[in-house]
Amino acid sequence: MAATLEVRDINKYYGEGDSRVHVLKHVSLTIDRGDFVAIIGQSGSGKSTLMNILGCLDQASDGEYLVDGIPTREFDADDFARLRSEKFGFIFQRYNLLTSMDARDNVALPAIYAGSGVKERNARAEDLLVKLGLEGKTGNRPGELSGGQQQRVSIARAMMNGGEIILADEPTGALDSKSGENVMQLLMQLHGEGHTLILVTHDRHIAEYAHRIIEIKDGEVISDERRKPLPASVPEPGPRRKGSRLAYLKNQLGEAFGMSVQAILAHKMRSLLTMLGIIIGIASVVSVVALGRGSEQKILAGINAMGTNTIDIMPGKSFGDRNSARYRTLTVDDSDALAEQSYVASATPTASASGEVIYRSKSATGSLSGVGEQYFSVKGLELARGRLLNREDIDTARAVAVLDDNTATELFGAGEDPIGAVILFAGHPFEVIGVTKKPAATFGPRSTLTVWTPYTSHMARVSGSRTISSITVKIADGTSAQVAEKEVTRLLKSRHRGVQDFFTMNTDSIRQTMESTTATMRLLISCIAFISLLVGGIGVMNIMLVSVTERTKEIGVRMAIGARQFNVLQQFLIEAVLICIIGGIAGVLLSLGIGAAFTLFVKDFPMSFSTASIVLALTCSTLIGVIFGYMPARRASMLNPVDALAQE
Ligand SMILES: Nc1ncnc2c1ncn2[C@@H]1O[C@H](COP(=O)(O)OP(=O)(O)O)[C@@H](O)[C@H]1O
Ligand SMILES: [Mg+2]
């Protein structure tokens, strides 16, 4: 009969240099299939070290180890994981069950890493638990079971993938004598069914059960005694079913996902705190972008309401010049000269003055603007009732007025018809001929009262001079705003004897300035967003690292029962990504909520959410999960199983 396990002259050292300890010294032994071996020795003699090497949890410092005649020297971490999964079943002194899973899931876990389907493995796990006398306890978590019961669950787990060779390290060490006895009976029974059994104990009484007792002292085998013969025939283990690799990978992904969800749910509070950074980061980014878009749309609408393709010419040096009132240089002649140019469709002078508007007993402060007849179409003002100014009104300087909606409501009651009424502005009477509609969009709240009259009437009756306060030029079709603006400036400068005592403003250049400002703002916001998400990501990484440290033992257990490095990596990575995605979704929802609240309190403009920014936010949070989850996940996967198991 072929030897199942064979160690040839192995040594094991711990530590380096002066602190190096020689734990196993030139150990050679062979363990046959179907044997029941007890390894006995005092505490610290090297029993566990030897057993971990036999069970492929750890490797010897030198020497040879053969499993079924195959040397393991060239094996990598995955090869050892495969051996652990297929051949060995471990029973630990402290059971090492995963506390967040019930008994059945604990038993079924090795089958997950071996790639078996959920129905099949759950049925087998339940059968095993019934066989070990745990009927009715399958749904209990380890905390709800006694020590003896937990040890029986762990025996069932050891047998889940076949458990051809069962390695038990002090399996009765933590149990009272009756439970211990019970466990030993079970192990004897398993041996009778053909499992090879290797038992480590410091208790000679327990060792008496074995067929062969190997005693070690200070890392050396000092006696090897066969007490009962090897069984004559051992049933061959059944052939293992092998699925396709693709199906296996898909299955593993699904299982890792399930386990990640379980882990997140098991640590709800911590998961929530981890997500918090991401939630706040994503919510602030999405909200700020929506806020920016909303205000930008409003401002653009306001610019459009100022009229398209027009140039305004005003006296002074630039917009907001405080001395502009002193410049009295723009005249109706300037306007007429401009109107004759080929690049100008029309030019309208505007003269305005403020004063008191009176109708019967009501009065209000407003401004009277003297305008041309094109003024209304250039500014996009629409008529609500009556008529607008026409050419004849201008030419004959009629004392007529068009009111804006504010003035009409201010001076006239609900039932009164303003058309035909005579109002007084600064003592001069004007007949109301029309009222304009409320404009669709404006800059800020519009509370000013405006009355329009022909500029000719304004000059003749109110100001008494030919100087005006601005000229609005409508650019001819096919001429660019920039070219027209240059030409206007050149012409007026020459008319004003080379002095530039006016400035121009065109809606296109305002829009361009506005757009470049918002682009800068967007860049700034993106930078802040990037930093806040970076901080959130670092938070995720920190907590994942803590989580790996805290769950080192769990990782060790998973590895002992057959998890490969990639299983562990995958599980922690999925956990990080999942936390980030959930955080991202929560962040988006939060900002939608902020948007809803915003519309309740701010009537002026709404936040404008774009699908693109939401998709981008979620993509970002997923990427953060991958990037910041990778390091902790990799650290978890690179853990040495024995070291991980040794963690408390
Ligand atoms: N990871 C380790 N690093 C350093 N020394 C260790 C480590 N593991 C075990 N040892 C030492 O190796 C010796 C044998 O340990 P062990 O095999 O656990 O003994 P036993 O199981 O027989 O009680 C002990 O002296 C122990 O201190
Ligand atoms: Mg030990």
Side-chain angles (χ1 to χ4, degrees):
M1 181 182 288
T4 301
L5 307 175
E6 185 179 0
V7 291
R8 289 187 194 151
D9 194 29
I10 58 165
N11 288 292
K12 180 71 179 175
Y13 308 97
Y14 283 117
E16 296 285 324
D18 284 347
S19 60
R20 190 168 91 153
V21 278
H22 199 171
V23 176
L24 289 179
K25 298 163 188 164
H26 304 283
V27 174
S28 294
L29 50 87
T30 303
I31 294 172
D32 296 304
R33 223 152 63 74
D35 208 351
F36 179 1
V37 181
I39 299 172
I40 190 167
Q42 284 176 341
S43 176
S45 54
K47 310 181 293 292
S48 296
T49 305
L50 176 59
M51 180 148 107
N52 290 338
I53 291 171
L54 291 175
C56 295
L57 279 174
D58 199 4
Q59 278 76 55
S61 306
D62 54 47
E64 282 265 31
Y65 177 39
L66 298 90
V67 177
D68 288 335
I70 301 163
T72 60
R73 201 206 313 250
E74 304 287 319
F75 278 21
D76 64 15
D78 275 357
D79 294 325
F80 284 118
R82 189 174 44 77
L83 270 185
R84 291 196 295 270
S85 170
E86 290 175 0
K87 259 193 146 24
F88 298 105
F90 291 91
I91 300 168
F92 303 94
Q93 181 175 354
R94 293 258 164 224
Y95 335 123
N96 285 353
L97 300 175
L98 301 188
T99 49
S100 63
M101 294 183 179
D102 65 18
R104 189 193 67 188
D105 288 348
N106 263 293
V107 175
L109 196 55
I112 291 182
Y113 294 123
S116 95
V118 59
K119 274 215 191 86
E120 182 190 343
R121 67 169 187 254
N122 283 347
R124 175 164 168 81
E126 271 159 28
D127 285 351
L128 281 170
L129 284 169
V130 169
K131 178 179 169 181
L132 295 187
L134 288 167
E135 203 166 356
K137 299 283 181 196
T138 54
N140 288 33
R141 298 208 173 175
E144 300 157 353
L145 297 169
S146 72
Q149 287 171 330
Q150 289 189 59
Q151 194 58 298
R152 278 184 279 157
V153 172
S154 95
I155 294 173
R157 180 177 65 184
M159 291 164 61
M160 187 66 200
N161 284 352
E164 194 185 331
I165 302 163
I166 291 178
L167 301 153
D169 191 345
E170 310 264 13
T172 59
L175 299 175
D176 60 83
S177 58
K178 193 164 168 296
S179 306
E181 187 76 20
N182 196 327
V183 163
M184 285 315 297
Q185 291 301 337
L186 266 177
L187 291 179
M188 297 268 289
Q189 185 193 333
L190 296 184
H191 174 243
E193 291 169 11
H195 296 271
T196 306
L197 208 60
I198 303 172
L199 174 78
V200 160
T201 182
H202 64 276
D203 185 343
R204 199 156 274 283
H205 171 70
I206 294 290
E208 301 281 300
Y209 287 93
H211 293 197
R212 176 183 170 194
I213 299 178
I214 299 170
E215 184 167 1
I216 60 176
K217 192 179 178 201
D218 294 335
E220 282 175 295
V221 176
I222 54 166
S223 78
D224 187 345
E225 174 199 359
R226 176 157 295 287
R227 306 176 70 245
K228 288 179 201 152
L230 266 176
S233 74
V234 183
E236 281 288 329
R240 299 191 62 83
R241 252 181 349 96
K242 283 237 184 277
S244 86
R245 179 144 177 88
L246 197 70
Y248 172 76
L249 285 177
K250 214 176 107 199
N251 176 36
Q252 292 297 298
L253 191 70
E255 298 295 349
F257 186 82
M259 288 190 285
S260 306
V261 171
Q262 209 171 32
I264 290 173
L265 291 179
H267 306 102
K268 286 190 196 69
M269 193 62 195
R270 188 172 64 195
S271 306
L272 188 72
L273 289 177
T274 315
M275 281 173 205
L276 211 56
I278 299 291
I279 295 177
I280 294 173
I282 293 286
S284 55
V285 172
V286 174
S287 304
V288 169
V289 168
L291 206 61
R293 260 172 58 98
S295 61
E296 184 184 330
Q297 281 167 2
K298 181 176 160 63
I299 293 172
L300 281 178
I303 289 177
N304 288 337
M306 280 170 58
T308 49
N309 230 14
T310 62
I311 300 175
D312 285 315
I313 304 149
M314 275 158 271
K317 285 205 173 62
S318 65
F319 189 68
D321 185 344
R322 270 182 287 162
N323 298 323
S324 64
R326 286 217 316 258
Y327 293 90
R328 300 220 151 274
T329 54
L330 285 180
T331 64
V332 178
D333 301 328
D334 288 334
S335 173
D336 291 343
L338 282 171
E340 274 156 29
Q341 306 303 311
S342 61
Y343 51 86
V344 173
S346 68
T348 319
T350 307
S352 63
S354 54
E356 209 174 5
V357 199
I358 301 174
Y359 176 67
R360 294 196 178 157
S361 61
K362 290 184 189 158
S363 74
T365 306
S367 74
L368 184 76
S369 285
V371 297
E373 81 272 20
Q374 295 106 334
Y375 179 87
F376 300 93
S377 72
V378 168
K379 293 290 181 188
L381 287 163
E382 287 177 47
L383 190 69
R385 56 203 307 185
R387 66 172 180 86
L388 293 173
L389 303 176
N390 59 30
R391 187 75 230 173
E392 215 187 317
D393 296 330
I394 313 286
D395 289 346
T396 57
R398 272 199 198 124
V400 289
V402 175
L403 309 184
D404 73 343
D405 57 307
N406 278 346
T407 315
T409 46
E410 190 76 21
L411 296 184
F412 297 90
E416 285 177 289
D417 185 5
I419 308 296
V422 174
I423 58 165
L424 290 175
F425 182 87
H428 307 283
F430 292 91
E431 185 195 341
V432 177
I433 56 167
V435 178
T436 58
K437 275 187 193 161
K438 191 177 170 63
T442 47
F443 284 117
R446 204 179 49 96
S447 56
T448 52
L449 309 183
T450 311
V451 177
W452 294 283
T453 184
Y455 66 89
T456 45
S457 326
H458 189 276
M459 284 181 288
R461 291 157 209 272
V462 183
S463 68
S465 80
R466 283 184 74 77
T467 56
I468 47 177
S469 52
S470 72
I471 301 172
T472 301
V473 167
K474 193 169 166 71
I475 303 161
D477 284 342
T479 308
S480 91
Q482 276 78 8
V483 172
E485 200 172 3
K486 260 200 201 110
E487 288 299 316
V488 164
T489 310
R490 206 181 48 75
L491 179 80
L492 287 183
K493 219 169 151 180
S494 75
R495 283 180 60 87
H496 292 192
R497 290 182 292 284
V499 187
Q500 180 153 4
D501 47 11
F502 59 90
F503 66 93
T504 58
M505 225 168 65
N506 90 57
T507 46
D508 264 12
S509 59
I510 296 176
R511 182 182 290 115
Q512 272 167 18
T513 316
M514 201 341 261
E515 271 162 8
S516 83
T517 313
T518 46
T520 316
M521 280 300 288
R522 213 173 285 145
L523 192 71
L524 195 73
I525 291 168
S526 307
C527 286
I528 296 171
F530 178 75
I531 292 169
S532 76
L533 286 179
L534 195 73
V535 172
I538 291 171
V540 171
M541 181 162 72
N542 271 333
I543 308 241
M544 289 309 291
L545 281 172
V546 169
S547 172
V548 168
T549 312
E550 201 175 87
R551 286 156 66 190
T552 301
K553 179 100 180 182
E554 176 195 324
I555 295 165
V557 173
R558 287 179 185 274
M559 286 176 157
I561 61 178
R564 301 179 193 188
Q565 291 185 332
F566 111 88
N567 292 119
V568 176
L569 180 92
Q570 182 173 260
Q571 193 196 326
F572 278 86
L573 199 57
I574 290 179
E575 215 173 299
V577 170
L578 215 54
I579 284 181
C580 288
I581 290 180
I582 296 173
I585 291 174
V588 167
L589 291 180
L590 179 64
S591 84
L592 289 178
I594 293 173
F598 185 82
T599 31
L600 279 185
F601 293 107
V602 183
K603 298 281 178 222
D604 216 20
F605 66 96
M607 281 165 76
S608 162
F609 293 93
S610 73
T611 326
S613 73
I614 290 173
V615 169
L616 195 71
L618 293 181
T619 314
C620 256
S621 55
T622 311
L623 278 180
I624 288 170
V626 174
I627 293 168
F628 290 97
Y630 183 76
M631 209 263 271
R634 182 166 164 76
R635 172 177 285 196
S637 75
M638 297 304 279
L639 285 170
N640 179 11
V642 205
D643 296 339
L645 274 172
Q647 199 94 57
E648 270 317 315

